[in-house]
Amino acid sequence: MILKVYTSLLLLFLVNSVWTRTVRQVYDDLDPEHWSHYTSECPQECFCPPSFPNALYCDNKGLKEIPAIPARIWYLYLQNNLIETVSEKPFVNATHLRWINLNKNKITNNGIENGVLSKMKRLLYLFLEDNELEEVPSPLPVSLEQLRLARNKISRIPEGVFSNLENLTLLDLHQNSLLDSALQSDTFHGLNNLMQLNIAKNSLKKMPLSIPANTLQLFLDNNSIEVIPENYFNAIPKVTFLRLNYNKLSDDGIPPNGFNVSSILDLQLSHNQLTKIPPINAHLEHLHLDHNKIKNVNGTQICPVSIALEEDYGYYGNVPRLRYLRLDGNEIQPPIPLDIMICFRLLQAVVI
């Protein structure tokens, strides 16, 4: 399982690297005699670098409207402006857009013309962070791979807004105004290839329903979550990185084997209300428990395998893989108990 997760992440990295090199090669092979043509097409408010002819830089220009976008543009940078509306007119010729950055503007849902986004048939990355959105915009292009909507005022997710986004791998909704009622059992329906879901810094009191089964990274920091439902992670069997820092989790809110999940490699439970270390799986590599209410640590009790068996089989047995353990900000007094070191033989760092 772990090998498959690492393979998926490595494959994503390699694909992105090859794609980037291919794009750069196109720019490097560009005939300089065409540069003047690209410059003449460039909107006067923006910058069109001759060495990057498929990019249009209109960021930090004090723009209130989106200028006409030339047909050749793949990458559009419009962040840090005063744009309030996204209409169809500027994009009439821009049929090859892959990337749009509209972060830090003043865009509202009413300012987005109906259907303008869904008509961008090749769009892969859409950045709308730090705007004035109150709900997830819709309809969205089915080609999308990343949707970043952090730091808006989103409290509503329209029904079916994600239903056709099978290519989406990253959805960032952190620092919005989402309540539990905004996340229904079918909210994330259709996100069959989602790998990262970020709902940190919202107003959730419960673990969200129906997280896509292929999710690898789930970020829920800075909410008010008190309880982990029993067998919650059975529905997301590939989850590898789990962040629940700055919530209200107590010992009673975690079922006996709530985090004893073989897929989880990095578990972050900092700044909660735990008084003891919850049971963990032998596959876990990073555990963050700082700033809780833990008074003591018993290595024999928290060891995911029998220490006696571990001594018999050594490194050829099921040795726990924990490499990093953070316990500072609790009520634990040094030194580190010897049985911790006996159990977790691969530990490289302990913060206490």
Side-chain angles (χ1 to χ4, degrees):
M1 175 67 73
I2 296 172
L3 180 59
K4 290 182 179 178
V5 169
Y6 282 138
T7 302
S8 298
L9 293 173
L10 179 60
L11 191 57
L12 277 175
F13 172 78
L14 291 175
V15 169
N16 286 334
S17 299
V18 172
W19 178 77
T20 302
R21 287 197 298 269
T22 303
V23 170
R24 287 176 178 170
Q25 185 176 0
V26 171
Y27 304 145
D28 293 341
D29 293 343
L30 182 66
D31 190 338
E33 71 182 25
H34 294 143
W35 292 355
S36 60
H37 168 68
Y38 293 131
T39 303
S40 65
E41 279 190 328
C42 188
Q44 62 179 4
E45 309 96 324
C46 307
F47 171 61
C48 299
S51 60
F52 198 5
N54 293 100
L56 181 61
Y57 289 87
C58 307
D59 52 308
N60 296 288
K61 302 294 184 182
L63 299 180
K64 294 185 178 180
E65 296 182 351
I66 299 174
I69 310 302
R72 71 174 190 275
I73 299 302
W74 286 22
Y75 308 97
L76 178 59
Y77 298 88
L78 288 160
Q79 66 270 27
N80 292 302
N81 281 294
L82 303 171
I83 297 169
E84 297 181 359
T85 59
V86 181
S87 61
E88 185 175 349
K89 185 178 179 181
F91 299 101
V92 170
N93 296 318
T95 57
H96 296 280
L97 282 172
R98 304 293 202 275
W99 173 303
I100 299 179
N101 190 333
L102 279 160
N103 291 346
K104 294 187 178 180
N105 278 282
K106 298 182 179 297
I107 299 167
T108 63
N109 288 94
N110 289 335
I112 301 177
E113 186 176 334
N114 187 38
V116 62
L117 297 175
S118 61
K119 291 178 180 178
M120 299 177 185
K121 303 296 185 181
R122 302 184 183 185
L123 193 66
L124 302 177
Y125 300 88
L126 178 58
F127 296 74
L128 280 165
E129 299 178 343
D130 296 285
N131 277 280
E132 305 292 331
L133 299 174
E134 295 183 353
E135 64 179 49
V136 175
S138 64
L140 292 163
V142 298
S143 55
L144 269 188
E145 293 183 3
Q146 291 192 14
L147 177 60
R148 298 178 182 265
L149 298 169
R151 295 177 299 276
N152 277 275
K153 301 175 181 178
I154 295 173
S155 61
R156 298 185 301 275
I157 300 179
E159 183 177 357
V161 67
F162 302 127
S163 60
N164 294 318
L165 302 187
E166 292 191 0
N167 296 310
L168 200 71
T169 60
L170 184 151
L171 175 59
D172 191 346
L173 288 163
H174 88 269
Q175 201 167 335
N176 277 284
S177 303
L178 292 171
L179 299 170
D180 296 318
S181 57
L183 304 180
Q184 300 299 314
S185 59
D186 59 349
T187 296
F188 301 112
H189 177 72
L191 298 179
N192 299 327
N193 290 297
L194 194 71
M195 298 179 70
Q196 184 185 114
L197 177 60
N198 192 341
I199 326 178
K201 294 188 177 182
N202 278 278
S203 299
L204 304 180
K205 294 183 178 180
K206 300 177 181 179
M207 294 292 284
L209 300 171
S210 300
I211 300 297
N214 285 318
T215 302
L216 297 176
Q217 301 177 346
L218 178 59
F219 303 149
L220 292 163
D221 315 78
N222 294 88
N223 280 285
S224 298
I225 297 170
E226 299 179 356
V227 176
I228 306 294
E230 193 166 359
N231 300 320
Y232 180 85
F233 298 105
N234 288 355
I236 43 175
K238 298 181 181 180
V239 64
T240 307
F241 302 92
L242 178 62
R243 292 197 336 216
L244 280 159
N245 304 319
Y246 292 95
N247 276 282
K248 297 182 178 180
L249 290 171
S250 64
D251 301 329
D252 294 336
I254 300 175
N257 285 296
F259 295 119
N260 188 1
V261 180
S262 61
S263 65
I264 298 178
L265 303 182
D266 190 302
L267 176 59
Q268 300 190 19
L269 298 169
S270 304
H271 293 272
N272 277 278
Q273 299 171 13
L274 302 174
T275 64
K276 59 185 180 181
I277 297 177
I280 59 174
N281 193 272
H283 291 96
L284 187 68
E285 296 183 2
H286 297 262
L287 178 59
H288 298 247
L289 284 165
D290 55 287
H291 297 90
N292 277 273
K293 299 179 179 180
I294 301 170
K295 294 183 178 181
N296 55 70
V297 181
N298 187 317
T300 303
Q301 291 180 355
I302 68 171
C303 192
V305 300
S306 168
I307 290 180
L309 289 175
E310 190 177 346
E311 289 176 346
D312 289 340
Y313 291 103
Y315 285 99
Y316 298 100
N318 189 25
V319 176
R321 301 178 185 176
L322 194 67
R323 289 171 167 79
Y324 180 89
L325 176 60
R326 184 170 177 184
L327 291 166
D328 56 304
N330 284 281
E331 300 175 31
I332 304 168
Q333 298 297 321
I336 300 166
L338 180 61
D339 51 5
I340 291 285
M341 308 310 295
I342 294 174
C343 173
F344 302 107
R345 301 185 184 186
L346 302 181
L347 265 176
Q348 298 175 353
V350 180
V351 184
I352 193 169

